[in-house]
Amino acid sequence: WKSLTLKDICDIRGGKRIPKGEHLLDFDTGYPYITISDMECGTISTKTIKFVPQRVIPKIKKYTISIDDIYFSVAGTLGLVGTIPLELNNANLTENADKLTNIRCNRNFLLHILNSDIIQSQVEYCKTNNAQPKIAIAQLCKFSLNMPLMQEEQQAIADILSAADKEIDLLEQELAQQEQKKKSLMQLLLTGIVRV
């Protein structure tokens, strides 16, 4: 295991806001724009995705994110981490998020570390206390972590943690179903529709 910084294992690049006076569009221009509100459950929701007007693309065309990158929110809601779906490959990225690119370790392992208390506690420590909290790229680059150097060990750890996440998701779904059953039963019993 070795103590490293995020800068040691990936490059970090910022997103870009659309120019002042321009507005995102509700119809598909071929240029989706990912905002913080689109980031959920470690991926991007396409339900409310907005699009960049074609005339604006030349000004922000360098600020895209690919399916090989990881996003990290750095303004407003801090520390949201995830990947983007294939249909959003090379979408434009908000200025309120950075992308971790040229990742030089197991990407799934890195995703687990970024979501862990190891990194999330550093988010809390480094954030500004403005009305909208922020983390500068320079701060994010310095975030420290310990990790095994062998990709095989990184993969094995990521596999175990992914399996645990799947089990948790299944249990949460089952719990939600049981709670719904209880609500239905309470409705029947407490209104006298079903008598004991």
Side-chain angles (χ1 to χ4, degrees), residues 6-196:
L6 277 182
K7 189 177 178 183
D8 294 329
I9 57 173
C10 63
D11 298 333
I12 303 173
R13 305 274 182 264
K16 182 79 171 173
R17 77 175 60 223
I18 64 169
K20 192 172 183 178
E22 296 286 356
H23 302 283
L24 295 173
L25 305 172
D26 291 324
F27 60 89
D28 191 343
T29 63
Y31 300 99
Y33 186 86
I34 298 170
T35 65
I36 298 293
S37 62
D38 301 318
M39 298 174 182
E40 59 181 48
C41 302
T43 188
I44 302 298
S45 169
T46 56
K47 288 182 230 164
T48 58
I49 201 93
K50 304 254 188 216
F51 296 88
V52 180
Q54 289 188 350
R55 68 181 173 275
V56 172
I57 287 301
K59 297 175 185 172
I60 64 170
K61 65 182 178 183
K62 292 190 230 172
Y63 301 93
T64 60
I65 185 167
S66 85
I67 57 171
D68 297 321
D69 301 330
I70 294 173
Y71 65 76
F72 195 106
S73 65
V74 293
T77 304
L78 302 177
L80 296 176
V81 174
T83 58
I84 62 165
L86 182 59
E87 64 265 28
L88 293 177
N89 190 33
N90 295 318
N92 287 90
L93 182 65
T94 176
E95 78 280 6
N96 294 329
D98 295 338
K99 71 174 178 179
L100 281 55
T101 190
N102 298 322
I103 297 168
R104 298 177 288 279
C105 68
N106 181 280
R107 189 176 73 143
N108 289 334
F109 177 82
L110 181 55
L111 277 166
H112 284 291
I113 284 187
L114 293 171
N115 276 307
S116 74
D117 288 345
I118 294 164
I119 295 297
Q120 294 298 321
S121 62
Q122 293 177 69
V123 168
E124 283 299 309
Y125 181 76
C126 292
K127 72 180 182 182
T128 62
N129 290 321
N130 304 346
Q132 183 180 46
K134 294 183 180 180
I135 299 172
I137 284 185
Q139 289 293 108
L140 190 57
C141 287
K142 295 176 188 175
F143 280 16
S144 62
L145 52 119
N146 289 317
M147 60 183 288
L149 296 180
M150 293 181 60
Q151 289 263 346
E152 296 81 9
E153 190 173 356
Q154 294 171 17
Q155 182 64 55
I157 292 168
D159 289 346
I160 291 167
L161 294 174
S162 293
D165 284 342
K166 284 179 185 170
E167 186 67 26
I168 289 167
D169 287 344
L170 288 172
L171 290 170
E172 285 176 346
Q173 289 172 21
E174 187 177 328
L175 179 60
Q177 289 170 354
Q178 294 300 327
E179 286 176 348
Q180 188 57 47
K181 284 181 186 176
K182 178 186 173 188
K183 285 180 184 176
S184 297
L185 188 56
M186 285 175 66
Q187 181 68 21
L188 294 171
L189 291 170
L190 297 176
T191 58
I193 295 172
V194 171
R195 312 268 320 242
V196 179

